[in-house]
Amino acid sequence: MEPVEIDAGAYSLRQLRADRRLDDRPALIEAFADPAHRRYVLNYRVRTLDEATEYIALRLAQWAGDERCSWAVAEPATGRLLGEVGLRELDLAAGYAEAAVWVHPAERRRGIASTALDAALRFGFGVLGLREVSYRYEESNADSAAVARRCGFTRIGPEPEPAPTGEPLIRWLRTA
């Protein structure tokens, strides 16, 4: 699959970039340095420009391999990175994906995550033909619970296995 851009109204969803015209790497480094972000996003380290470049390359490779659809959530007029939203664990044959979203610490509490995730879900259900999308987060992440509710997910309950931190992992589900 090739990356596609989505007009999400107040925000645009586009591929992460690091080129002459637009460089998301500094904003990625800032976001991944935030203690709250590090608490919930354990599987990536983005501390340097090289690591940010690798992160961007990974996301592009995941699109190409039909593994994950990932978008930078950007301010439409300037292209400034506000966060990232994606459909990971993508299984097109089974019609399944898991939603993921984060917002830059300077941009939180503005409805960005809900708007971006809703747009990604419309793409997943409408374009990819997904039938089911789950959303999981650590129990203490109240912001993620609010996003799940606003985006029409139904709470399933705690997963049998906890998160890597040992905290209960809460699963929500949305169907087409």
Side-chain angles (χ1 to χ4, degrees):
M1 233 180 332
E2 291 290 320
V4 298
E5 293 189 10
I6 298 174
D7 179 351
Y11 312 106
S12 61
L13 305 186
R14 59 164 174 79
Q15 181 64 38
L16 286 164
R17 292 176 52 181
D19 55 51
R20 288 186 329 211
R21 296 182 63 209
L22 194 56
D23 190 351
D24 293 324
R25 295 175 305 168
L28 284 169
I29 293 167
E30 288 173 4
F32 279 82
D34 176 62
H37 189 97
R38 283 196 321 265
R39 178 178 178 187
Y40 297 118
V41 182
L42 302 173
N43 46 348
Y44 299 103
R45 286 194 162 298
V46 181
R47 299 165 297 189
T48 66
L49 288 176
D50 286 342
E51 288 175 345
T53 300
E54 290 172 10
Y55 184 84
I56 291 169
L58 172 66
R59 290 295 187 250
L60 188 57
Q62 289 170 326
W63 266 101
D66 294 345
E67 300 167 34
R68 181 183 191 132
C69 300
S70 179
W71 295 270
V73 182
E75 200 282 320
T78 64
R80 184 171 50 91
L81 180 69
L82 306 173
E84 184 182 15
V85 65
L87 299 171
R88 65 184 186 185
E89 306 297 327
L90 196 57
D91 186 335
L92 297 173
Y96 173 81
E98 183 176 325
V101 63
W102 61 262
V103 175
H104 189 284
E107 307 297 336
R108 292 184 185 139
R109 307 222 189 290
R110 294 180 34 209
I112 294 169
S114 299
T115 300
L117 183 53
D118 190 56
L121 290 168
R122 284 194 312 271
F123 177 83
F125 291 127
V127 176
L128 298 179
L130 299 179
R131 293 183 295 279
E132 182 176 282
V133 176
S134 66
Y135 184 54
R136 298 182 311 156
Y137 59 86
E138 292 182 36
E139 188 173 45
S140 65
N141 193 338
D143 291 338
S144 283
V147 168
R149 279 191 296 278
R150 284 193 296 268
C151 289
F153 285 85
T154 300
R155 188 177 194 274
I156 303 300
E159 293 278 55
E161 296 293 319
T165 59
E167 189 175 346
L169 197 58
I170 306 301
R171 182 170 186 257
W172 294 63
L173 189 67
R174 182 163 160 191
T175 57

